[in-house]
Every structure is written in C-alpha cells, then in structure tokens.
Amino acid sequence: MDPDRVLEGLDPEQLEAARALRGPVCILAGAGTGKTRAITHRIAHAVASGVAAEQQILAVTFTTRAAGEMRGRLRALGAPRVQARTFHAAALRQLSYFWPQVVGGPAPTLIDSKLQVVGRAARDCGVDTDRTTLRDLASEIEWCKVTQVRPADYERAAAKAGRTAPMAPVEVARVFEGYEEIRRERNLLDFESMLELTAAMLAERPEIAERVRDQYRYFVVDEFQDVNPLQKLLLDAWLGDRDDLCVVGDPGQTVYSFAGATPAYLTRFAAAYPHATVVRLVRDYRSTPQVVRVANEVLKRGRPATGGTDQPLELLAQRPDGPDPSYTEYDDEPAEASAVARRIAALIDAGTPAREIAVLFRTNSQSAAYEQALSDAGIAFTVRGATRFFDRQEIRQAVHTLRGARQGGGGDPLAGSVRPLLASLGLTPEAPEGRQARERWESLSALAQLADDVAVQRHRGGCAAPGPDGAPPRPAAGPLPETCACGRPYTATLDDFVEELEARVATEHAPEMEGVTLASLHAAKGLEWDAVFLVGLTEGTLPIVYAETDEQVEEERRLFYVGATRAREYLAMSWALARSPGGRKGRRPSRFLDGLRPASPSLASGRRDRARPGRTVRCRICGNTLTDAAERKVARCADCPADYDEALLERLKEWRRNTAQRLGVPAYVVFTDATLQAVAELEPSDVSGLSRISGVGAVKLERYGEAVLALCAGEEPPAPEEEGEHDGG
C-alpha cells in the first residue's frame, strides 16, 4: 500500500487522527463525523508506513456488527489480517487457547443468558420471582460483575450508586451469591467471568502475558465512552506498560451507565496520558443542518457526562439544507401510531426506501402499536432484536445453497449470479402477499442486497466515479448491473461472497433488511436512516419514570440525542396525551423538547428541570455539599443522624404497596424507598415543597401528590379515582 494514498479523501481532522500513529491518541468524535473512516484509515496508514504489522493490531468494538463493518473497510484498504473483535470475542479466543495450559480439564460451557441459572439460585434462596424480576436480577448481577462488586458488598455499593434494586438488597446479594456458586459447580462461564478470567490469567501468568503482548502491540478501542471497569481491567492487562493505544468515542453518546459503563475513561484520558494526542471530529456528514441544529441544542441544554469538564462537541453540518424537523401532539397512542404509519407510507410513495426509515422508542413495549399500525397500512417492517437473521430457516437454506454453488463455480462473477440461485428458495422480482411469505422474501432479498454490496466494496479501490462517501455509485433498488458507472466491470466472485457470508455467520453480522425498522433507542445506537420517527416523547417515558437523579436524567437526554442523530434528512418527533382513545389526557411532552418545538417553554421560563447544570445540594444537618446520588435525594450526609418520622415512613410504604397492587406495577415504579424516606424526613406541607424532592416529577406530583401530602399531614389519603390507564409516568 502507498501510505499517502491511504490518506486521500480525509478531512483535516480525520487526517490529523490518521497521522497520529504513535503513543496514546484520543479521538473525540461526534455523531456522523466519520469516526470509523478515521480509525480504519489510521490503521491502514500504520500498516502501510511500517509502524505496525497487520497481525499485531487489535481493534476492539462493542458489537459484532461494528466489528464486521470494520473488517470490511480494512479489507478494502488493503489490511485484511487486522483483528477487529468485540471485547468478549477477543477474550474468549485467548482464554480458549490457553485453557489447557492454565487450568486443564474440560473447558467451561459459555452461557448466553443468565435467566435459567438466576432462576435456580432464586428458588434455592426461597425468593419468589416472575420473569420480569428474573431479568432485573440478571441485569443487577451483570452490573455487579462489570463493576467488580462482590455479593457481600452489594448492599453498600448499590446504595452508594443510587441503584433501584428489584427487591430488598439483601435478597439480591443472596441470589447473586447463589448464582456464582451454581455457575462454578456446573463449570459455566458467563460473559463477565470470561473477561475477568482472561485478565486474571494475564496478571498471574507472566509467560502468557508476554506471549499475548508480543502478539498484540497496537490497540484501537471504539466507543470508549461505553467501557466498563471490567473491560478496562482487561484492556490494561493487554497493554501492560505500553501506550500504543488509540481510543475513540463521544461523551454525548454515553447511554449505558446503568449497566456499569463510565465515560470517565474517555473524558479523563488526557489526564491519564499527559502526552496524548487529542483530536476532535466535529464535521457531521450524516445529517442536514436542520437535524444537526436539534442535536446541538439538546446537548447544549444538558451538562457534560460524568467525569467531563469540557463543553459537548458542537457538530458542524456538511450536508445541504433539508426539511425542518416536525413536532406533533396526538390525543392518544393509537392515533399517534396510525399517523406515523401514514407519514411513512407517503415517504415510501415519494421514493424513500422502506429500509431507510426507522421508528425509534424508549422501551420495547412501545413497539406493538407500531407493528399493528404498519401491518394495517401494508408496510413491511423489521423489529430490531427479534429472531436473529442467520437463525432463520430460509437463510440457513440459502447459505447451504450458496456453499454448494461455490463448489462448482466459485470463480463466477458475483454480479448477477446470486439472485438466480435464491429464486429457487422464493426470491421473486416482486414481494408476495401474506405476512409470512413476505418476511421470507425480505430475508432473501437482504441476502441478495448483501451480494451487491460486496461487489461494490471490492470495486471501491479502483473506481473512477466514487460517490460522496468514497464508494462507487449503485442503483437505489434492483439487481446490480455487471458494469459500474465508471465503465469497469465488477470483478468480485461467488467465492468472495461466500467468504464474506461465512465471516458474517460466525460473527452474527446480519445485513440490513428491506422494511421499516422498529427499534428501541438503545438498539438504534450506531445505526442511521434517511428518515427517523422519534415517538412517545412524554414525561415518564423519556426521561423514563425511574430516572430520578440528575445523572440518570442526563443519560436520558443523551439517549434522546442518540435518537435524533440517527436521522440523515427527515426527523419527526411526536407524543400522545393519553394511552387509549377516551383516556385521561394527563401526559406532558418530554422536557427535552423544551426550547426546541415551536411555542414550547424554555428552560428559563421557570419550569423546574432536575438536570439543571450547577445545582448544589447541601446537607440539611451539617451543611456540607452533597455529591452522592443517594445523599442528595434525602438532602443529608449518610453519616449524619436521620430525623424522620418512622411511623410516617411506614404509612407511606403501606400506601405505596396498596397503590402498586391496584395499578399492577412494581412498588418502586410508584416511588422508590429513597424517595419515600426523603418525604418522611422533609415532611413537605405543600405542592411546592413536595416538588423539590428528587424523585417527585411533574407526572408523579399530579398523580400522587394529594395522597402523599395528606399522609404527611397525618390525614387519610383520598380514595383513588377510577383510572382507565397507567403509563408508568
């Protein structure tokens, strides 16, 4: 490779990142700024310049999809032997290789899901659970393991972190301890233990650490804002005393703090490595200026992620103007879903491919209304996170067919050869009627589309007519012609495609499906579409009802930012005032829309925003400034004596228990223990005093305020009105 040619087409900031080949490098990359392009060109430049050999480079990502995309780009840049893996895949490979030498005996069985083992541990402890509680327990155990919290330390650690446990903390600790005992007895390995054992192996066996560090000398870590303490422990074990480390991330996209991730490793990187090169990528090539304006405004109204002191990255739009984002209020959820389906149909009729449209929501439970609305409108859709692509029967058959065809004609040109092979399995020129037949057709169509994409990727390097992203142009729909617009034929073969396909099967790197995407905001991270509908934007949903501390609300704000920045051109935001037709219209638009939508209140209008930057909370006993979330909630240092009315706290808990049973929700959804304790300690006498307690938002104030104030006054709470809905807000 020519080192200079590798750098062609990079903007000034990307070029600065790609030329920083030695020592610690930190790339702060805003949404849509071409971070994958920057780091893959940096890796290829390091190889072409002789700074690092391909086999000595380890690029770490967080998803198999991102790893697959990185490998594809590196192949196109002439560096196919660079290892691009997730933390877990890299750790499993090393642990499996050294297991006979380090431990011996049968290797442990890797478990994909903790639920079965957690359920057994709960039964052994005499703890009653349903499936929802089991999932919450499994998540809590994962948090413990990635933050290196042991069962005996759980109660203290959970209180310090301000976590809302799915049951009494002492019970969580017992189930956690039982889970670990069962796992060890049965020789089971979960993903967290895999990382922990690999790090321990490198720490305790110097000869193995030396072999691994001799193999990998050059590291790149993507999405560094999402690294958790356990992953950082493993990364440090890989590095040893070296500093050839490049980290890439965006503090504004930190959305996994609840699972133990911390942006502090990214935001404090320059402090940890004073000689580090820091590059800021801010040119947004993804979104129109109108979408970028929304994104910048959302983050500007918040505060930096935990551990950060800098202002958020302000994106600079590079695309031409597009339509203004829309803000729409509906009477109820079905009306919102039906209207969104109609608007999607109009976009498709106007030429936007269905695969370039997404509906994004805060929780998976919101998906059903949009599945129904799109089905009623005859619009194909896929639900991200449903049945895995390569597990589908028609895809297994297709892979088998393509492998067989490879034996007889692997050198045949790829363009024009895959679709005829898939026709025998049901791939027709037009989509068939019927949902199941259409879903099968959509899967096969995605495979055919992938074949065309492989042909385009292999052609990229010598194309004389590249598109705006450096790729050769291709038709928007239909089969790929045998010749590119540059006049040269596509030279990729069936062998090339089957090789790519087998790599994707091994890493679960599924292709994009034809059809509108339905996904949660968390599942949408790292993806993009021409048109994005952000739906259900109400208080209690975004921010979610249990986001009570300043830090939790800020994470919800960043989640909104992630959703908005998925849109290239068309961004529609909407909310419904009631769940069902005829229901009480008691919902309010999300506070994150304040100052964005026309005629909306601004943050300076007097409406209280719990996430307001700079708010200082002092202990009401000793006057010290409080920083811990649990202490801020009760406005008292943990070491200062509590002065609450125990009888009042018991009355509040009894009322909460009865209310939760009536509404059919867990008790903590009404109010957490910490919030009730704060109420008992502060004994508010009016709405203003109650509203100042962390955990009592506008929706809860409206729903429960009268009852709570009555209890504080020593009176009986009013009888609950008949409610036709409960939205958890």
Side-chain angles (χ1 to χ4, degrees), residues 605-663:
S605 67
R607 177 180 174 183
R608 186 175 64 89
D609 185 355
R610 290 174 295 176
R612 184 171 62 250
R615 189 181 72 157
T616 300
V617 179
R618 298 187 182 279
C619 175
R620 55 191 168 79
I621 307 298
C622 68
N624 286 336
T625 299
L626 302 176
T627 57
D628 181 79
E631 293 178 342
R632 287 164 65 91
K633 182 181 285 290
V634 297
R636 174 178 53 78
C637 295
D639 296 334
C640 286
D643 57 353
Y644 62 87
D645 183 335
E646 293 185 5
L648 172 57
L649 182 59
E650 286 305 312
R651 290 198 303 273
L652 287 166
K653 287 185 175 181
E654 182 181 4
W655 164 83
R656 180 185 63 174
R657 183 167 53 252
N658 294 335
T659 302
Q661 290 175 352
R662 175 171 56 82
L663 296 175

Side-chain angles (χ1 to χ4, degrees), residues 350-364:
T352 302
R355 68 177 179 275
E356 292 295 351
I357 302 173
V359 180
L360 306 182
F361 31 75
R362 175 61 178 85
T363 65
N364 289 322

Side-chain angles (χ1 to χ4, degrees), residues 43 46-48 50-58 79 81-83 215-218:
I43 291 171
V47 173
V51 171
E54 290 178 69
Q55 299 91 329
Q56 294 178 328
I57 301 173
L58 179 60
R81 290 183 293 278
V82 171
Q83 295 295 310
Q215 171 69 50
Y216 296 116
R217 299 170 175 266
Y218 203 78

Side-chain angles (χ1 to χ4, degrees), residues 399-469:
V399 171
H400 179 74
T401 298
L402 291 166
R403 283 171 174 160
R406 178 191 192 183
Q407 301 302 319
D412 292 345
L414 181 55
S417 65
V418 170
R419 290 176 189 270
L421 290 170
L422 299 181
S424 62
L425 301 177
L427 182 62
T428 55
E430 300 294 333
E433 297 294 330
R435 181 168 179 174
Q436 289 188 344
R438 187 179 181 99
E439 287 179 353
R440 181 182 179 88
W441 181 88
E442 288 164 357
S443 297
L444 296 172
S445 181
L447 209 57
Q449 175 77 31
L450 177 61
D452 292 346
D453 291 343
V454 169
V456 169
Q457 286 287 339
R458 298 299 170 96
H459 184 73
R460 179 193 297 262
C463 183
D469 66 346

